[in-house]
Amino acid sequence: MDKWGYAEHNGPAVWHELFPLANGERQSPINIITKDAIYDPSLKPLHVDYDASSAKVIINSGHSFSVEFDDAEDKSVLSGGPLHGSYRLRQFHFHWGPSDDRGAEHKVDGKDYPAELHIVHWNSEKYSTFVEAVFQPDGLGVLGVHLKIGDHNKSIERITDVLDAINAKDKQSSFTNFTPSSLLPDRLDFWTYPGSLTVPPLLETVTWIFLKEPITVSSRQLSKFRSLLSTRETDGDASCCMESNHRPVQPLKGRKVRASFQ
């Protein structure tokens, strides 16, 4: 089998062959059933404190694209909610599908969204590096946001404007003076549950914080995501567009989903 991807021969259905944790006890994404979510008044309000000067670079990984941040100090942090202490911003990326009616990873009451944003943070109070934190049960905190088709999104335009510069796998470009706060909805009501990375190695070290309110993206902007290549420029005729990069929902296996709102 080729290295993992999203095609039939190396996609989520066969990830367990290389990554047995794919069948683990706290895998993500999930279908959030709103009537089963437990309101927890002890959950604190989320506190987002991002510094635009910590944005560094945008990279095409061949599986998605990510904006990477300087996480050498507590410049940009997430705290509150279910988190103990502050978690440092590492990067954000998106997942999407082949059309405007599906592509998000998490569902809400079975509803599909066209895309999903993941803002990845790590527990810098307990661990000294991201690499150390990623292997710990409380190592990562990921803020998830659904995208719905609607108005043109000016903050996403900042991103789509540079995608031509990273059109092929392993390409990167400088990307500075940007804060993912501009990608968040007005209200920060959320669901939270213990889960995993949604890409291999699927480590079960993520505290998921999924926002109730989606943000908008235009159909044209989303099509720009799909135009990226999952292959290198040197692959020539074998070039392949990144039309879809989402994992199906996984069994809840007894986990509880808590809500910050009633």
PDB file of all heavy atoms in Angstrom, residues 126-143:
ATOM      1  N   LYS A 126       2.287  21.872  30.513  1.00  0.00           N
ATOM      2  CA  LYS A 126       2.757  20.576  31.011  1.00  0.00           C
ATOM      3  C   LYS A 126       3.923  20.007  30.206  1.00  0.00           C
ATOM      4  O   LYS A 126       4.716  19.230  30.728  1.00  0.00           O
ATOM      5  CB  LYS A 126       1.605  19.561  31.009  1.00  0.00           C
ATOM      6  CG  LYS A 126       0.650  19.713  32.167  1.00  0.00           C
ATOM      7  CD  LYS A 126      -0.412  18.630  32.158  1.00  0.00           C
ATOM      8  CE  LYS A 126       0.131  17.274  32.579  1.00  0.00           C
ATOM      9  NZ  LYS A 126      -0.970  16.287  32.747  1.00  0.00           N
ATOM     10  N   TYR A 127       4.023  20.394  28.930  1.00  0.00           N
ATOM     11  CA  TYR A 127       5.015  19.770  28.042  1.00  0.00           C
ATOM     12  C   TYR A 127       5.894  20.841  27.400  1.00  0.00           C
ATOM     13  O   TYR A 127       5.466  21.977  27.220  1.00  0.00           O
ATOM     14  CB  TYR A 127       4.303  18.905  27.002  1.00  0.00           C
ATOM     15  CG  TYR A 127       3.314  17.957  27.642  1.00  0.00           C
ATOM     16  CD1 TYR A 127       1.941  18.124  27.482  1.00  0.00           C
ATOM     17  CD2 TYR A 127       3.757  16.938  28.499  1.00  0.00           C
ATOM     18  CE1 TYR A 127       1.032  17.286  28.118  1.00  0.00           C
ATOM     19  CE2 TYR A 127       2.856  16.102  29.142  1.00  0.00           C
ATOM     20  CZ  TYR A 127       1.503  16.277  28.955  1.00  0.00           C
ATOM     21  OH  TYR A 127       0.600  15.457  29.605  1.00  0.00           O
ATOM     22  N   SER A 128       7.106  20.448  27.060  1.00  0.00           N
ATOM     23  CA  SER A 128       8.085  21.444  26.605  1.00  0.00           C
ATOM     24  C   SER A 128       8.065  21.671  25.100  1.00  0.00           C
ATOM     25  O   SER A 128       8.523  22.709  24.621  1.00  0.00           O
ATOM     26  CB  SER A 128       9.499  21.046  27.046  1.00  0.00           C
ATOM     27  OG  SER A 128       9.822  19.756  26.564  1.00  0.00           O
ATOM     28  N   THR A 129       7.538  20.709  24.336  1.00  0.00           N
ATOM     29  CA  THR A 129       7.474  20.865  22.876  1.00  0.00           C
ATOM     30  C   THR A 129       6.189  20.250  22.336  1.00  0.00           C
ATOM     31  O   THR A 129       5.571  19.401  22.975  1.00  0.00           O
ATOM     32  CB  THR A 129       8.650  20.158  22.168  1.00  0.00           C
ATOM     33  OG1 THR A 129       8.541  18.742  22.408  1.00  0.00           O
ATOM     34  CG2 THR A 129      10.002  20.670  22.658  1.00  0.00           C
ATOM     35  N   PHE A 130       5.840  20.654  21.120  1.00  0.00           N
ATOM     36  CA  PHE A 130       4.689  20.055  20.440  1.00  0.00           C
ATOM     37  C   PHE A 130       4.892  18.548  20.262  1.00  0.00           C
ATOM     38  O   PHE A 130       3.978  17.756  20.471  1.00  0.00           O
ATOM     39  CB  PHE A 130       4.495  20.730  19.075  1.00  0.00           C
ATOM     40  CG  PHE A 130       3.430  20.085  18.225  1.00  0.00           C
ATOM     41  CD1 PHE A 130       2.089  20.369  18.426  1.00  0.00           C
ATOM     42  CD2 PHE A 130       3.771  19.191  17.216  1.00  0.00           C
ATOM     43  CE1 PHE A 130       1.107  19.778  17.642  1.00  0.00           C
ATOM     44  CE2 PHE A 130       2.805  18.590  16.426  1.00  0.00           C
ATOM     45  CZ  PHE A 130       1.460  18.888  16.644  1.00  0.00           C
ATOM     46  N   VAL A 131       6.102  18.170  19.888  1.00  0.00           N
ATOM     47  CA  VAL A 131       6.400  16.749  19.633  1.00  0.00           C
ATOM     48  C   VAL A 131       6.197  15.915  20.898  1.00  0.00           C
ATOM     49  O   VAL A 131       5.711  14.784  20.834  1.00  0.00           O
ATOM     50  CB  VAL A 131       7.830  16.587  19.077  1.00  0.00           C
ATOM     51  CG1 VAL A 131       8.208  15.123  18.964  1.00  0.00           C
ATOM     52  CG2 VAL A 131       7.960  17.273  17.728  1.00  0.00           C
ATOM     53  N   GLU A 132       6.534  16.466  22.047  1.00  0.00           N
ATOM     54  CA  GLU A 132       6.284  15.755  23.299  1.00  0.00           C
ATOM     55  C   GLU A 132       4.789  15.704  23.606  1.00  0.00           C
ATOM     56  O   GLU A 132       4.240  14.657  23.952  1.00  0.00           O
ATOM     57  CB  GLU A 132       7.021  16.447  24.455  1.00  0.00           C
ATOM     58  CG  GLU A 132       6.810  15.753  25.804  1.00  0.00           C
ATOM     59  CD  GLU A 132       7.386  16.524  26.981  1.00  0.00           C
ATOM     60  OE1 GLU A 132       7.921  17.636  26.781  1.00  0.00           O
ATOM     61  OE2 GLU A 132       7.280  16.010  28.106  1.00  0.00           O
ATOM     62  N   ALA A 133       4.114  16.834  23.427  1.00  0.00           N
ATOM     63  CA  ALA A 133       2.700  16.930  23.780  1.00  0.00           C
ATOM     64  C   ALA A 133       1.824  16.014  22.940  1.00  0.00           C
ATOM     65  O   ALA A 133       0.831  15.460  23.428  1.00  0.00           O
ATOM     66  CB  ALA A 133       2.229  18.375  23.631  1.00  0.00           C
ATOM     67  N   VAL A 134       2.186  15.816  21.666  1.00  0.00           N
ATOM     68  CA  VAL A 134       1.320  15.089  20.746  1.00  0.00           C
ATOM     69  C   VAL A 134       1.126  13.628  21.158  1.00  0.00           C
ATOM     70  O   VAL A 134       0.175  12.976  20.733  1.00  0.00           O
ATOM     71  CB  VAL A 134       1.872  15.201  19.296  1.00  0.00           C
ATOM     72  CG1 VAL A 134       3.019  14.242  19.055  1.00  0.00           C
ATOM     73  CG2 VAL A 134       0.780  14.981  18.268  1.00  0.00           C
ATOM     74  N   PHE A 135       1.997  13.120  22.047  1.00  0.00           N
ATOM     75  CA  PHE A 135       1.879  11.729  22.507  1.00  0.00           C
ATOM     76  C   PHE A 135       1.198  11.608  23.870  1.00  0.00           C
ATOM     77  O   PHE A 135       1.077  10.508  24.394  1.00  0.00           O
ATOM     78  CB  PHE A 135       3.267  11.073  22.558  1.00  0.00           C
ATOM     79  CG  PHE A 135       3.878  10.855  21.195  1.00  0.00           C
ATOM     80  CD1 PHE A 135       4.863  11.708  20.719  1.00  0.00           C
ATOM     81  CD2 PHE A 135       3.447   9.821  20.380  1.00  0.00           C
ATOM     82  CE1 PHE A 135       5.421  11.534  19.457  1.00  0.00           C
ATOM     83  CE2 PHE A 135       3.997   9.625  19.115  1.00  0.00           C
ATOM     84  CZ  PHE A 135       4.986  10.486  18.649  1.00  0.00           C
ATOM     85  N   GLN A 136       0.753  12.729  24.450  1.00  0.00           N
ATOM     86  CA  GLN A 136       0.152  12.707  25.786  1.00  0.00           C
ATOM     87  C   GLN A 136      -1.375  12.813  25.693  1.00  0.00           C
ATOM     88  O   GLN A 136      -1.898  13.543  24.849  1.00  0.00           O
ATOM     89  CB  GLN A 136       0.701  13.861  26.627  1.00  0.00           C
ATOM     90  CG  GLN A 136       2.214  13.952  26.646  1.00  0.00           C
ATOM     91  CD  GLN A 136       2.867  12.693  27.175  1.00  0.00           C
ATOM     92  OE1 GLN A 136       2.344  12.056  28.089  1.00  0.00           O
ATOM     93  NE2 GLN A 136       4.007  12.334  26.609  1.00  0.00           N
ATOM     94  N   PRO A 137      -2.110  12.126  26.582  1.00  0.00           N
ATOM     95  CA  PRO A 137      -3.579  12.135  26.505  1.00  0.00           C
ATOM     96  C   PRO A 137      -4.202  13.526  26.557  1.00  0.00           C
ATOM     97  O   PRO A 137      -5.256  13.757  25.977  1.00  0.00           O
ATOM     98  CB  PRO A 137      -4.000  11.306  27.719  1.00  0.00           C
ATOM     99  CG  PRO A 137      -2.821  10.466  28.063  1.00  0.00           C
ATOM    100  CD  PRO A 137      -1.604  11.250  27.653  1.00  0.00           C
ATOM    101  N   ASP A 138      -3.530  14.462  27.253  1.00  0.00           N
ATOM    102  CA  ASP A 138      -4.035  15.837  27.339  1.00  0.00           C
ATOM    103  C   ASP A 138      -3.119  16.798  26.585  1.00  0.00           C
ATOM    104  O   ASP A 138      -3.050  17.982  26.886  1.00  0.00           O
ATOM    105  CB  ASP A 138      -4.154  16.276  28.805  1.00  0.00           C
ATOM    106  CG  ASP A 138      -2.805  16.231  29.538  1.00  0.00           C
ATOM    107  OD1 ASP A 138      -1.823  15.695  28.967  1.00  0.00           O
ATOM    108  OD2 ASP A 138      -2.735  16.725  30.675  1.00  0.00           O
ATOM    109  N   GLY A 139      -2.441  16.280  25.564  1.00  0.00           N
ATOM    110  CA  GLY A 139      -1.412  17.060  24.897  1.00  0.00           C
ATOM    111  C   GLY A 139      -1.921  18.108  23.931  1.00  0.00           C
ATOM    112  O   GLY A 139      -1.305  19.157  23.774  1.00  0.00           O
ATOM    113  N   LEU A 140      -3.032  17.833  23.258  1.00  0.00           N
ATOM    114  CA  LEU A 140      -3.507  18.721  22.202  1.00  0.00           C
ATOM    115  C   LEU A 140      -4.911  19.230  22.485  1.00  0.00           C
ATOM    116  O   LEU A 140      -5.745  18.524  23.057  1.00  0.00           O
ATOM    117  CB  LEU A 140      -3.505  17.998  20.847  1.00  0.00           C
ATOM    118  CG  LEU A 140      -2.177  17.416  20.359  1.00  0.00           C
ATOM    119  CD1 LEU A 140      -2.358  16.788  18.987  1.00  0.00           C
ATOM    120  CD2 LEU A 140      -1.083  18.477  20.320  1.00  0.00           C
ATOM    121  N   GLY A 141      -5.174  20.453  22.049  1.00  0.00           N
ATOM    122  CA  GLY A 141      -6.517  21.022  22.059  1.00  0.00           C
ATOM    123  C   GLY A 141      -6.812  21.548  20.670  1.00  0.00           C
ATOM    124  O   GLY A 141      -6.090  22.410  20.164  1.00  0.00           O
ATOM    125  N   VAL A 142      -7.835  21.000  20.040  1.00  0.00           N
ATOM    126  CA  VAL A 142      -8.148  21.407  18.663  1.00  0.00           C
ATOM    127  C   VAL A 142      -9.514  22.091  18.639  1.00  0.00           C
ATOM    128  O   VAL A 142     -10.512  21.537  19.109  1.00  0.00           O
ATOM    129  CB  VAL A 142      -8.118  20.222  17.683  1.00  0.00           C
ATOM    130  CG1 VAL A 142      -8.475  20.693  16.268  1.00  0.00           C
ATOM    131  CG2 VAL A 142      -6.741  19.563  17.677  1.00  0.00           C
ATOM    132  N   LEU A 143      -9.521  23.283  18.092  1.00  0.00           N
ATOM    133  CA  LEU A 143     -10.746  24.056  17.911  1.00  0.00           C
ATOM    134  C   LEU A 143     -11.279  23.745  16.521  1.00  0.00           C
ATOM    135  O   LEU A 143     -10.584  23.952  15.527  1.00  0.00           O
ATOM    136  CB  LEU A 143     -10.400  25.539  18.052  1.00  0.00           C
ATOM    137  CG  LEU A 143     -11.481  26.565  18.340  1.00  0.00           C
ATOM    138  CD1 LEU A 143     -12.297  26.185  19.569  1.00  0.00           C
ATOM    139  CD2 LEU A 143     -10.836  27.940  18.540  1.00  0.00           C
TER     140      LEU A 143
END
